[in-house]
Structure formats: structure tokens, C-alpha cells
Amino acid sequence: VIIRALLTIAALRAIRVVSYILTVLPSQNPRCYQHRFPLPPDDWQSWILIGFRPQSHGGCNDLIVSGHATIITSLACLSTSIAGHSFFSVAVWTLVAVDYAFECYEGFHYSVDMWMG
């Protein structure tokens, strides 16, 4: 089951790369570029040091297919297939649906992006 889950995640990552290359959508957050990509500093040493700061908030156009949605969906499929309890399955898929709704409501992703994930 774990090998199948890993192969599924690998296939989804490949599909995500192709969809990212073929899809150009603007960010649904109008201030995304200003917030994440400020104007470069005047001094070149500070400009180089910006590249060494760790960033964990993603890009502005990396939307279709959501990477975290594919991982969450794959882990939900894996955990519900291993557990085999109907109450656990309902709880997991309810949390997945709430997470997807939250991502859409907060403007982090389009609804189609979460559905494809």
C-alpha cells in the first residue's frame, strides 16, 4: 500500500509540473507580489543576501494543481485504506474538506485547484 501511495504521489508531482507549465493564472491575492517580492535594495551585498534567506510561503502563481492538496489527498487515501474503520474515514475526509474550504475561503487557492488536488 505504501509503494502504491508513493507511486501515486510521484505521478501527481509529474502532472503538477505539466499543469504548472501549461497554466498561467494570476494570483487571486492582489497584494501577493508586493508582499513576497519587494523592490531590490540599492546595495548589491544586501541584494545577494536576500537569496540566502529561507522562504516557506510559496510563490504567487503556483496554483493549479495544489501541491499540498495532492499530498493531503494521498495521505487521506492511504490512512483510510489502512485503518478500515468507517468512523475514522468520515472524520479524515471531513477534515480534508474543511481544509480545502479554508484554503479557498482565505484566497490561497482557486476551488478548481483544490478539486484537482
Side-chain angles (χ1 to χ4, degrees), residues 12-13 15-16 19-20 62-74 99-100 103-104 108-117:
L12 290 172
R13 297 307 268 179
I15 292 170
R16 186 169 186 258
S19 69
Y20 184 68
D62 191 11
L63 301 171
I64 305 265
V65 168
S66 169
H68 100 274
T70 57
I71 297 298
I72 288 175
T73 304
S74 299
D99 176 54
Y100 288 2
E103 294 288 331
C104 295
F108 296 133
H109 290 283
Y110 293 113
S111 59
V112 68
D113 174 35
M114 301 308 287
W115 176 255
M116 291 174 67

Side-chain angles (χ1 to χ4, degrees), residues 7-64:
L7 289 173
T8 302
I9 290 173
L12 290 172
R13 297 307 268 179
I15 292 170
R16 186 169 186 258
V17 168
V18 171
S19 69
Y20 184 68
I21 291 170
L22 296 176
T23 306
V24 179
L25 289 175
S27 177
Q28 66 274 24
N29 183 354
R31 293 177 294 175
C32 182
Y33 297 103
Q34 296 169 355
H35 177 67
R36 294 188 181 160
F37 306 109
L39 293 174
D42 295 329
D43 141 11
W44 68 271
Q45 292 171 342
S46 300
W47 187 76
I48 289 176
L49 290 176
I50 288 174
F52 290 107
R53 281 191 229 145
Q55 303 289 325
S56 63
H57 47 66
C60 290
N61 286 349
D62 191 11
L63 301 171
I64 305 265

